[in-house]
Amino acid sequence: MQHAVRSRAAIRTGLTPVPRPRTPSVASLMDADALRVLHRAARALLDDLPDLTDRLVALLREQEPAYRTALTKDPTATWQEAHRSLRHSVTSLLDPRGARDAARRCSWRIGAARAEQGLPLDALLHAFRLGGSLVWQRLVEETSRTAPEDVRLLVHVAADVWNFVDEHCTLVADAYRQTEWQLGRRRENRARLLAAGLLDGTSRIADLPEAAQALGLPEYGRYYVVAVTGAPPARSDAARAVLPPGARVHWHAGTDVDYGIVLDGADGADDDGLPGPAGPEDAPDTPAAGVRIGIGSAVDGLASVGDARRRADTALEICPRTGGTVRLADHLPAALVASSPELGGALAERVLGPLLRLEVADREVLLDTLTTWLDCDGSAQRAGERLYCHRNTVLNRLRRCEQLTGRSLARPADLVEISLALTARRVLRA
């Protein structure tokens, strides 16, 4: 494409001042003479449109860093975009009604395309205003060259020219913002799908780099998952408060449960593979009433987040229905029971069956005594203080439990069975 070579003096010295009205003109001020002068100059601009485009591109390169980058990446596309916009602008001066729709479509497409490319909106609007100024300047220059006595008539079309520029700046901004909103929704939906795949354990290995970028998390970090359930407002507050300050987390909202994929801030993990000292144990223990929080143990990499989510679900399952926070690492026996409820129920029936078939009042007294004695590390004295009874009463009740279950509280294997059976009953009843 051969372009006319013109002096760049006008570019260096700035654009000709434009007499812009203070308020938009309601009706066109053009009369027959002004219209004749405008059309004559506009036809000359159409004939010299490549040079006009060169001048606009040069101004953008000089004044707009964002366009300077765009011109470096794809100068041809930027030049063609400017050429199309100027052609529609000048054509609209010749045939406002016939060219209006095509000009509007062109401006809308430019606004949408630049939003997708990430060009700043301020730079785009500046480009349109520079284009309007350049068209006005060339109208004045052409009229001064061919008919200097008619320059005064252009004053009557200034309002129409700048109303056109303002209208298309508004169009461009609307297209840009609408596209930006759509892109944001698209990114959010994609991030949600990627997070759901990680939590479900269905993510493809090939999707992990995209997931890391979309969620703002490293692909190979150490992660644990937090599961939060309860009433939505309180749940949202608990979700924000459950983590240590400064924790990097992506929250995935669900209908009943919200999940947080948390980058473990620990320098290292404990020997058992659970989070180290800067991990989930720093989370608060007392969320709002009715809010239940389950914190799973840590895994390596985003590819294993599905395992971390299942561990968080297990922690949530053993959390009291009235609310609270359960860390899986602190409740592994209960987690074992919750992971296999059939076996847990069988264990509870096998070990505690005779106790469970007693009258309700008698059963609850014995089970409460047995649970309290275990919580007090086998101290009948302390258990009695908690139960408001004498230590001998505690011992008598414990002997009755031994008789009914056939297990000895002095035998370690029997004690483990009884402890797990009590845990199974509590977890499976919850």
Side-chain angles (χ1 to χ4, degrees):
M1 180 183 299
Q2 293 183 353
H3 304 152
V5 179
R6 297 178 62 96
S7 169
R8 297 292 188 244
I11 297 173
R12 291 194 297 270
T13 58
L15 298 172
T16 303
V18 180
R20 298 191 61 181
R22 291 182 178 275
T23 58
S25 175
V26 176
S28 175
L29 298 177
M30 289 191 297
D31 56 19
D33 289 337
L35 186 61
R36 172 181 53 78
V37 171
L38 175 65
H39 285 184
R40 184 179 61 205
R43 282 191 290 269
L45 262 62
L46 275 180
D47 293 339
D48 202 19
L49 198 57
D51 182 69
L52 187 65
T53 305
D54 285 343
R55 292 179 65 178
L56 177 57
V57 168
L59 282 172
L60 291 174
R61 187 187 299 276
E62 177 186 337
Q63 298 186 20
E64 273 297 340
Y67 268 94
R68 198 176 305 139
T69 302
L71 284 164
T72 301
K73 291 182 178 178
D74 194 347
T76 301
T78 304
W79 191 94
Q80 290 174 347
E81 176 189 285
H83 185 270
R84 284 194 303 272
S85 181
L86 288 172
R87 177 167 52 82
H88 283 292
S89 298
V90 177
T91 303
S92 295
L93 297 177
L94 294 168
D95 183 13
R97 183 173 299 180
R100 181 175 186 271
D101 289 342
R104 289 171 62 88
R105 285 194 299 270
C106 177
S107 294
W108 186 274
R109 284 194 294 267
I110 290 173
R114 287 307 188 180
E116 290 181 350
Q117 295 164 10
L119 185 84
L121 178 57
D122 287 346
L124 181 58
L125 294 177
H126 187 205
F128 265 74
R129 294 191 178 98
L130 278 176
S133 296
L134 190 56
V135 168
W136 173 258
Q137 177 184 345
R138 290 298 303 276
L139 289 171
V140 173
E141 288 176 351
E142 181 62 27
T143 304
S144 298
R145 184 179 65 82
T146 58
E149 68 280 2
D150 290 337
V151 171
R152 59 183 178 80
L153 294 174
L154 289 179
V155 173
H156 298 294
V157 300
D160 297 272
V161 172
W162 284 101
N163 283 342
F164 177 90
V165 174
D166 288 342
E167 176 191 2
H168 283 258
C169 282
T170 301
L171 269 174
V172 165
D174 289 345
Y176 188 101
R177 293 190 181 102
Q178 181 174 320
T179 303
E180 193 175 42
W181 179 84
Q182 292 171 344
L183 291 171
R185 287 296 302 273
R186 200 178 304 161
R187 284 192 294 268
E188 289 174 5
N189 290 336
R190 182 58 179 162
R192 180 172 178 80
L193 288 174
L194 290 168
L198 291 175
L199 291 165
D200 292 342
T202 57
S203 288
R204 302 178 303 173
I205 296 298
D207 291 334
L208 293 178
E210 182 187 359
Q213 182 177 10
L215 306 186
L217 297 170
E219 182 178 349
Y220 297 105
R222 189 161 171 79
Y223 291 96
Y224 61 92
V225 170
V226 176
V228 184
T229 188
R235 185 167 83 196
S236 299
D237 293 339
R240 288 191 294 269
V242 70
L243 300 173
R248 292 177 62 182
V249 57
H250 175 83
W251 284 104
H252 181 79
T255 304
D256 300 315
V257 181
D258 292 343
Y259 292 101
I261 303 173
V262 189
L263 180 64
D264 189 359
D267 293 331
D270 298 332
D271 292 338
D272 58 3
L274 300 177
E281 61 273 20
D282 293 335
D285 288 310
T286 54
V291 175
R292 300 164 54 234
I293 301 174
I295 303 177
S297 52
V299 297
D300 290 319
L302 287 177
S304 301
V305 163
D307 293 334
R309 192 268 306 167
R310 285 186 284 275
R311 296 176 187 181
D313 282 342
T314 300
L316 187 64
E317 190 173 346
I318 61 180
C319 189
R321 297 300 172 188
T322 55
T325 300
V326 168
R327 297 176 180 81
L328 189 68
D330 298 335
H331 298 82
L332 291 179
L336 288 173
V337 170
S339 298
S340 183
E342 297 83 2
L343 290 177
L347 177 65
E349 173 60 29
R350 177 181 176 83
V351 176
L352 303 177
L355 282 173
L356 300 178
R357 286 185 281 275
L358 294 174
E359 293 292 330
V360 175
D362 197 15
R363 177 187 70 205
E364 294 305 321
V365 166
L366 292 180
L367 289 174
D368 192 29
T369 300
L370 191 55
T371 300
T372 304
W373 179 77
L374 287 170
D375 289 343
C376 292
D377 299 324
S379 170
Q381 181 68 37
R382 286 161 53 199
E385 292 173 359
R386 285 194 188 183
L387 296 169
Y388 302 102
C389 64
H390 196 274
R391 65 180 299 274
N392 289 339
T393 303
V394 173
L395 293 173
N396 290 334
R397 292 174 182 174
L398 293 177
R399 278 193 291 272
R400 190 175 175 209
C401 288
E402 289 179 318
Q403 293 168 358
L404 288 169
T405 62
R407 265 91 176 160
S408 171
L409 295 176
R411 188 179 301 121
D414 289 353
L415 193 60
V416 169
E417 278 194 342
I418 291 173
S419 178
L420 281 175
L422 288 170
T423 298
R425 181 174 179 271
R426 174 179 59 80
V427 170
L428 298 179
R429 286 180 61 192

